[in-house]
């Protein structure tokens, strides 16, 4: 185990995300903020993921610490349900062992910030006599919906065409987190989501990757329950917000190789606000028919486009599409999304509405065309279209497909229609609030400061 004399007097905190890209990114960002305010931070990831990481410089303020998740060398995750079972069997022992290991060093662990999906960490930490707090990676609205299901205030199966919950707009079933409406699909993931609520009220702090003003109603309602909520978002690199952490331009742990130069050089040749950026994140997989409709729809708009199609999805593109469209579009397997959203050439973002992508678009002032796929995304799309009014949601047809005409019409509406000016104005206002939250003395910055101060005195 590494010993650095210069860090031996700092309060030591472990940060432990669930090992998927969309959870690692915001928790790593939070870790950077904690380190910048004087804590020693160790970031835990699984061995299987650590092998995919590029080499890191020794000067990084955060130590990465791999632990075993039970997967053998070179074993891949094909079945997520089986992986979750293995994870819950092996990882608690690995974490307990790690805490013990640090106990005999000159920087024992004082606190563990854990992904809200792993509720068991709270008990484990108490047994080890250290403090712990969950980090909630989705919107406050979505977490509160899960809470209503957990408490059985919202009964399953969902009935009726409009669902009413405190401090949340009335939601149609297709605006609810999808696994609540279809509990049979991915039942273990659904249980994990709902059971996150078992830590509400038990933990001494609850970190939310959101902004007070963005979700003020639902946060007020949660705080009225005396839950110790600390908003600390948007957890995106500092150079896109307050610019106080020098060189913090990227998340820093990519499980896919970004085609940075190809994307940025291509965008540099395009006019301001002329390009449509399309990405479905790190996980969502569309059907062949849906891919064809997007391909035909975006071509039909006549607009330039940059489309991220992960390598595993590429075979679903229409034959020769990539080569046939080179004058209009660029298809890549992965891109540096923040740098893309920050580029002046981007005019709108067709997104699956993952919570990180949503916060990133808000923080960089890019209007959205929402194409939610599953879990929390339909609820994020509702807020995008009807609460924050920063874009439109694509409608599906009777077969559940977004047609090429719908893609064409909605992209035009967000980029050039009458409403496009309103979307841009609104998203720029939210962008300002996102920046203010992370600036010195802003709501999220203050919450991080208070936590660090508390830890230093523990
Ligand atoms: N992302 C990226 N390059 C891409 C696509 C996505 O860097 O080509 C990043 C994006 O910036 C975000 C994360 O991957 O931080 C995706 O998280 P999100 O919550 O939006 O969706 P998920 O992948 O969890 O469904």
């Amino acid at each position: 185990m590494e010993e650095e004399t210069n860090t031996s007097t700092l309060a030591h905190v472990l940060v432990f995300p669930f090992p998927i890209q969309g959870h690692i990114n915001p928790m790593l960002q939070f870790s950077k903020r904690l380190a910048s305010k004087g804590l020693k931070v160790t970031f835990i990831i699984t061995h299987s993921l650590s092998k995919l990481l590029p080499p890191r410089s020794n000067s990084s303020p955060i130590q990465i610490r791999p632990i075993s998740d039970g997967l053998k060398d070179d074993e891949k995750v094909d079945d997520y349900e089986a992986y979750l079972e293995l994870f819950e069997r092996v990882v608690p022992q690995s974490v307990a062992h790690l805490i013990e290991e640090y106990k005999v060093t000159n920087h024992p662990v004082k606190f563990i910030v854990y992904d809200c999906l792993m509720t068991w960490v709270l008990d484990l930490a108490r047994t080890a006599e250290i403090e712990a707090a969950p980090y909630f990676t989705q919107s406050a609205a979505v977490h509160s919906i899960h809470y209503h299901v957990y408490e059985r205030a919202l009964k399953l199966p969902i009935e009726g065409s409009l669902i009413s919950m405190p401090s949340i707009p009335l939601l149609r079933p297709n605006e609810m987190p999808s696994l609540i409406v279809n509990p049979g699909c991915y039942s273990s993931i659904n249980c994990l989501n709902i059971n996150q609520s078992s830590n509400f009220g038990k933990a001494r702090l609850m970190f939310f990757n959101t902004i007070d003003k963005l979700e003020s109603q639902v946060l007020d309602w949660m705080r009225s329950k005396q839950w110790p909520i600390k908003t600390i978002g948007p957890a995106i690199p500092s150079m896109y917000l307050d610019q106080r952490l020098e060189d913090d331009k990227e998340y820093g742990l990519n499980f896919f190789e970004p085609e940075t130069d190809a994307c940025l050089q291509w965008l540099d040749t395009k006019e301001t606000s002329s390009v449509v950026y399309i990405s479905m994140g790190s996980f969502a997989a569309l059907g062949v028919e849906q891919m064809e409709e997007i391909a035909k729809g975006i071509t039909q708009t006549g607009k330039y486009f940059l489309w991220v199609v992960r390598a595993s999805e590429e075979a679903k593109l229409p034959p020769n599409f990539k080569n046939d469209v080179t004058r209009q579009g660029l298809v890549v397997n992965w891109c540096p999304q923040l740098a893309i959203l920050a580029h002046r050439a981007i005019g709108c973002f067709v997104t699956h509405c993952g919570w990180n992508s949503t916060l990133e678009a808000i923080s960089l002032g890019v209007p959205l065309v929402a194409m939610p796929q599953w879990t929390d995304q339909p609820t994020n799309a509702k807020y995008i279209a009807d609460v924050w009014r920063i874009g439109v949601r694509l409608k599906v047809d009777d077969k559940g497909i977004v047609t090429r005409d719908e893609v064409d019409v909605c992209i035009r509406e967000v980029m050039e229609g009458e409403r496009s000016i309103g979307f841009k104005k609104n998203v720029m206002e939210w962008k300002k609030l996102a920046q203010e939250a992370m600036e010195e003395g802003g709501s999220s910055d203050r919450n991080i400061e208070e936590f660090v101060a508390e830890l230093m005195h523990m």
Side-chain angles (χ1 to χ4, degrees):
M1 175 166 304
E2 87 291 342
E3 289 284 340
E4 311 111 74
T5 44
N6 59 342
T7 60
S8 61
T9 53
L10 303 181
H12 186 189
V13 56
L14 298 181
V15 178
F16 184 23
F18 195 72
I20 46 181
Q21 186 86 59
H23 288 223
I24 287 173
N25 283 2
M27 292 189 75
L28 184 58
Q29 246 1 87
F30 183 54
S31 303
K32 291 181 197 168
R33 293 280 173 183
L34 296 179
S36 77
K37 290 184 190 288
L39 297 183
K40 173 178 168 61
V41 183
T42 299
F43 194 75
I44 307 178
I45 60 168
T46 57
H47 271 304
S48 43
L49 285 186
S50 69
K51 289 192 207 121
L52 304 174
L53 293 177
R56 289 171 59 81
S57 84
N58 287 335
S59 63
S60 167
I62 295 160
Q63 300 294 317
I64 304 282
R65 182 62 206 252
I67 58 166
S68 171
D69 57 359
L71 283 184
K72 297 188 194 75
D73 276 355
D74 301 328
E75 199 179 348
K76 294 240 161 54
V77 178
D78 299 322
D79 173 351
Y80 249 88
E81 304 262 322
Y83 177 67
L84 281 180
E85 214 185 288
L86 179 71
F87 188 92
E88 294 206 340
R89 208 157 14 92
V90 175
V91 174
Q93 295 168 39
S94 307
V95 177
H97 181 72
L98 188 65
I99 296 170
E100 282 305 309
E101 219 180 285
Y102 279 116
K103 257 189 189 155
V104 293
T105 66
N106 57 359
H107 39 73
V109 176
K110 273 199 176 171
F111 205 101
I112 176 161
V113 178
Y114 59 93
D115 193 310
C116 60
L117 290 178
M118 302 184 284
T119 48
W120 48 265
V121 177
L122 188 60
D123 289 335
L124 185 147
R126 285 184 176 159
T127 308
E129 295 177 332
I130 60 173
E131 293 287 347
Y135 182 110
F136 291 85
T137 54
Q138 296 177 330
S139 73
V142 165
H143 285 299
S144 98
I145 295 173
H146 285 134
Y147 172 78
H148 296 309
V149 176
Y150 178 78
E151 285 289 298
R152 297 179 200 277
L154 186 64
K155 301 250 170 6
L156 299 186
I158 298 287
E159 281 170 5
S161 56
L162 281 179
I163 300 123
S164 165
M165 287 164 284
S167 303
I168 290 181
L170 287 174
L171 297 182
R172 296 192 179 87
N174 70 354
E175 294 164 345
M176 290 284 286
S178 69
L179 299 181
I180 290 179
V181 184
N182 306 303
C185 295
Y186 299 99
S187 55
S188 345
I189 299 177
N190 195 28
C191 283
L192 272 183
N193 282 335
I194 292 167
N195 288 336
Q196 291 164 26
S197 310
S198 66
N199 277 181
F200 280 35
K202 270 211 240 162
R204 135 198 202 129
L205 290 174
M206 297 159 78
F207 295 110
F208 277 81
N209 180 20
T210 190
I211 310 161
D212 277 350
K213 288 189 176 153
L214 193 65
E215 297 197 87
S216 55
Q217 285 192 331
V218 71
L219 285 165
D220 283 351
W221 180 82
M222 292 172 112
R223 287 184 171 123
S224 74
K225 311 278 288 179
Q226 311 303 323
W227 293 331
I229 304 231
K230 296 257 182 219
T231 50
I232 46 83
I236 75 167
S238 171
M239 290 314 278
Y240 294 105
L241 292 164
D242 55 309
Q243 306 187 347
R244 285 185 293 162
L245 306 193
E246 264 181 46
D247 298 332
D248 182 29
K249 294 195 190 84
E250 296 173 0
Y251 287 110
L253 288 187
N254 266 319
F255 296 111
F256 304 90
E257 185 66 39
E259 297 176 44
T260 307
D261 290 346
C263 293
L264 295 177
Q265 282 165 15
W266 185 80
L267 285 177
D268 283 346
T269 65
K270 303 293 175 276
E271 283 178 16
T272 301
S273 302
S274 65
V275 179
V276 181
Y277 169 56
I278 311 172
S279 167
M280 296 291 127
S282 62
F283 219 77
L286 308 184
V288 172
E289 192 183 344
Q290 185 59 83
M291 291 289 271
E292 182 176 3
E293 291 306 305
I294 297 179
K296 294 276 157 56
I298 186 65
T299 314
Q300 212 167 288
T301 62
K303 296 196 182 300
Y304 292 119
F305 66 89
L306 170 58
W307 186 0
V308 175
V309 179
R310 297 191 312 276
S312 58
E313 303 298 289
E314 222 177 86
K316 298 176 186 171
L317 283 169
N320 296 325
F321 178 76
K322 229 171 143 170
N323 293 330
D324 290 349
V325 294
T326 47
R327 271 210 260 156
Q328 190 186 348
L330 178 66
V331 179
V332 296
N333 292 149
W334 195 251
C335 75
Q337 181 161 298
L338 286 157
I340 301 306
L341 291 173
H343 198 286
R344 53 152 192 87
I346 296 297
C348 85
F349 178 12
V350 180
T351 173
H352 70 310
C353 308
W355 184 235
N356 295 298
S357 293
T358 305
L359 280 180
E360 289 163 11
I362 288 172
S363 303
L364 292 161
V366 180
L368 296 167
V369 174
M371 188 170 173
Q373 300 300 306
W374 72 318
T375 63
D376 58 330
Q377 298 153 17
T379 312
N380 298 340
K382 167 73 179 173
Y383 276 74
I384 287 168
D386 296 341
V387 179
W388 306 318
R389 298 175 190 276
I390 55 175
V392 298
R393 176 177 176 167
L394 293 164
K395 290 189 192 61
V396 294
D397 69 7
D398 298 344
K399 291 192 297 173
I401 297 285
V402 175
T403 64
R404 61 193 72 181
D405 289 341
E406 176 72 359
V407 171
D408 180 7
V409 167
C410 288
I411 288 176
R412 284 173 192 285
E413 193 173 352
V414 171
M415 282 178 80
E416 63 192 37
E418 255 174 53
R419 296 171 70 204
S420 66
I421 296 166
F423 295 141
K424 186 72 191 174
K425 182 171 159 279
N426 293 344
V427 79
M428 292 311 282
E429 279 168 16
W430 290 117
K431 171 182 170 165
K432 192 160 168 275
L433 292 174
Q435 287 183 338
E436 280 170 9
M438 294 311 284
E439 278 164 9
E440 194 167 357
S443 52
S444 295
D445 180 62
R446 243 186 0 254
N447 285 335
I448 299 172
E449 284 278 350
E450 279 169 19
F451 170 59
V452 171
E454 189 182 329
L455 212 62
M456 302 273 204
H457 292 106
M458 257 167 60

